[in-house]
Every structure is written in structure tokens, then in C-alpha cells.
Amino acid sequence: RMEERALKEKVPPGISRREHVIKVVYEELTRFVGEKPVPIKIEPGKKQILMLVGIQGSGKTTAAAKLARYFQKKGLKPALICADTYRPGAYAQLQQLATRINLPIYGDPKAKDPVKVVSEGLKYFTDKDLIIVDTAGRHKEEQELIKEMKELEKKIKPDEVMLVIDGTIGQQALIQAKAFHDATPIGAILVTKLDGSARGGGALSAVAATGAPIKFIGTGEKTEDIEPFIPSRFVGRLLGMGDLETLL
């Protein structure tokens, strides 16, 4: 589409062909990642479950706390459940993050069955609007873990499954997003680590593989460093051109 538009469209008067090509690339990429921001619909007073999935080291646990903080600031009552029964210290890490922002957390560091942990956690949090479930980090090759993730999704029936992707992994995102999406339909994507030189090109591949919209991006280490995804702003940053929309 870019090629066709760049070669066939008549260049408007007053702008160079180069500027026109940049405009075409910008518009097509923005359309590709979703022209409008897609918010997560959370209704106060109604219990909703958000299940986070992703490979190890993608920043999932931090993302769980960031999302909880984001909705807490919006006046909702979120809570966290640690369903990672593999990684030593997973519960301690989430607990530390939760304590900092005064959030309730449920987990059992000795437990082996994540389905049981989540079921107990859901019974424990009866008065919360949003339950964020942090699952164990998976790799697309680990068939056992993928199987367990499917089972967890079937049992807890989350309102949304969100894939957390490391913005620095580039084209690898495509393979991972596809493997996860084949296991449990992904309803949203959160791209982490977009604070440094990583511009998140891999995120575009993930969108293509799953058809799921990017809903949030992580922009730093702190719990506050999360923002709703605004496609035009992201594409401007991706092309290294700041806020292109205003410029155009």
C-alpha cells in the first residue's frame, strides 16, 4: 500500500516528494497499528479479570503493578494475583511492588498449581473491580507451560488476555505473539521498555500476528511509567520524528 500510494498519488502543491513519502509511510503505519486508541473498558463495581501472559523477562510482573496503579488512579479498586508458581521470588517481587502503591495481593509462594492459586485469589477478593493475574513467563517452545496457560484461561475465563511484549526484541515478537495467540486469543498488547533507544518495531509485527490492538506502553522503570497507547504518537516516535501529526 505504501509503495502504491507513494508512486501513484499526485504530490500536493507546496510539498516535496520526500515529504509526501514520509506522510504516506506515517499514515499507513498508523492505520496498521490502529488509527484510534482502544481503551480497556472497566466498569466500576463489576468484577473483571485481566490475565497477563508473555515470555520470561518481558517485564510482565512490573507491568501488572503499573496497570493496577493506572486503574487505581482512575478511582477503581484493583487487586493482584501472583499465578507464577515457577520463578523463585516471583511472589516477593510482586508483593514488593504492591506494597509500594498500597495494593492488595494474593499468592502462595509454596503452591505448585496456578489454577488453584487463582481460584482461591478470586474467592478472596470479593469487593474488587479489577483482578490482574500475573502468570508465569513462558517461552513458545515450552509446550507444558503453554498447555497450562490454556487451562488457566479456560478455568478463570478472564475478560481480557493481555500479551506483554518487550519493545526491544524486534522481529522475535512476531513468532512469540503468534504462539501465544494460537494458545489463547489475545485481546490486547502491552509493549514494555519503550523508554530507551528501542522504538518498538517488533510491536508492529505482534499486532500483525494477533490482530490485537496495543492498549498500553511502558515508558520507564517506575510504577507510574505507563501510558495508554496513542497510535499516531507512537508511529511518530518510531520514525524518529516526534509528534508527526501536529507537523502534518
Side-chain angles (χ1 to χ4, degrees), residues 45-221:
K46 183 184 168 224
K47 193 197 236 171
Q48 281 149 103
I49 304 164
L50 177 62
M51 177 171 141
L52 299 189
V53 298
I55 70 156
Q56 281 160 327
S58 58
K60 204 163 47 314
T61 301
T62 314
K66 284 180 175 182
L67 283 164
R69 177 71 182 131
Y70 176 83
F71 287 109
Q72 186 186 43
K73 287 199 294 196
K74 294 229 172 297
L76 292 163
K77 292 185 287 185
L80 295 160
I81 295 178
C82 177
D84 186 345
T85 53
Y86 292 89
R87 184 166 64 92
Y91 176 74
Q93 186 195 353
L94 196 60
Q95 190 179 37
Q96 198 181 2
L97 290 163
T99 310
R100 262 186 235 157
I101 50 178
N102 200 15
L103 270 173
I105 171 175
Y106 184 86
D108 179 356
K110 294 186 190 73
K112 292 278 177 279
D113 180 8
V115 177
K116 189 166 174 278
V117 173
V118 177
S119 304
E120 285 169 2
L122 293 174
K123 281 183 204 135
Y124 181 72
F125 293 126
T126 49
D127 60 336
K128 303 295 175 212
D129 312 303
L130 176 67
I131 313 284
I132 297 171
V133 180
D134 179 27
T135 62
R138 284 146 172 80
H139 196 274
K140 64 171 180 34
E141 304 303 334
E142 295 167 359
Q143 286 314 312
E144 275 307 298
L145 282 170
I146 292 272
K147 203 171 105 188
E148 181 196 280
M149 185 178 92
K150 278 181 171 171
E151 204 176 303
L152 195 57
E153 197 257 349
K154 259 199 201 95
K155 288 266 163 57
I156 68 172
K157 297 188 172 59
D159 295 274
E160 183 130 66
V161 178
M162 185 180 271
L163 174 63
V164 179
I165 279 192
D166 180 334
T168 63
I169 64 166
Q171 290 307 307
Q172 275 297 309
L174 180 81
I175 305 153
Q176 281 163 16
K178 202 166 171 354
F180 277 100
H181 192 56
D182 290 347
T184 55
I186 302 296
I189 291 173
L190 186 153
V191 188
T192 62
K193 305 179 193 174
L194 285 181
D195 46 332
S197 57
R199 293 193 186 136
L204 297 174
S205 308
V207 173
T210 61
I214 300 173
K215 292 193 180 177
F216 283 95
I217 54 176
T219 54
E221 296 290 309

